[in-house]
Amino acid sequence: MRSALKQHQYLERAHGLRVEGEEENDSFVGIDNNEITVEEYVNWIGIGRFQFTLLAIFGLLVAGDGMEMVVISLLYPALRAQWGLSSTQEGMLASAVFAGLVLGNVLGGHLGDHIGRRFTLLAAGVLFLIASAASSMAPDFVSLCCFRAIVGLAVGAKGPAAMAVLVEVSPAAWRGRLGLMEVGMAFALGEVFVCVACIVLPEDMTLLPWWRAVMLSCAVPAAVALPLAWRLAPESPHYLALHGRTEEVASLLTSIA
């Protein structure tokens, strides 16, 4: 058990946090002689409910990503029957989401470094939700390709942002395991979920055609996770420290403790 005195000492020193590995005149945000790094403080805090709550929220977001990455391959017969798609068009439809994914990875990293991981995560999550829902309502092949590319863009932007926030508030000993659970297990569960949705949803639906209902189901995890992320997901402590927002770093780390 951490002693009350030890905790008090760390909380006092939290106001002198710096980012490990950076030059002194760029990264020190305190002026006392008891400065500690964000890394040291996060490792001292250890693992707990805060990190597992974020894992659950981000896991839902990543599960939606897993669903979107495989859903088109499950819907080819229905799309072929409705729109008469050729094999070339099917290939274009599959490629659209991955083209967006590449661009999203590039833009997401840039935005995360300049305007923050939290904002990037939430903005990309909203874009994902809109594009995913719009995909299920697409009137033709061209619009569906465009919406799928936007879905890929959102997936590429929010995935790295979610991972960055999670690992930066987690102790070093747990980062590999948490990252594997978020990217590996949650993504795979999303793929399983969309396959189950294809089986469970009746093909003779009256409200929506079957393939549109399946595609719309891909937005469900994000619709659940986004309000939770808005309320509970913090900004990256390293991002805050590098931008001189010392009080916010101290407040975040003390709330985690």
Side-chain angles (χ1 to χ4, degrees), residues 151-166:
V151 166
L153 177 71
V155 169
K158 69 186 172 71
M163 176 65 74
V165 172
L166 180 61

Side-chain angles (χ1 to χ4, degrees), residues 79-90:
L79 292 172
R80 197 179 302 123
Q82 180 164 346
W83 290 341
L85 297 186
S86 65
S87 58
T88 300
Q89 288 175 312
E90 290 177 359

Side-chain angles (χ1 to χ4, degrees), residues 98-110 120 152-158 160:
F98 292 102
L101 183 68
V102 172
L103 182 60
N105 282 151
V106 175
L107 291 179
H110 179 78
T120 301
L153 177 71
V155 169
K158 69 186 172 71

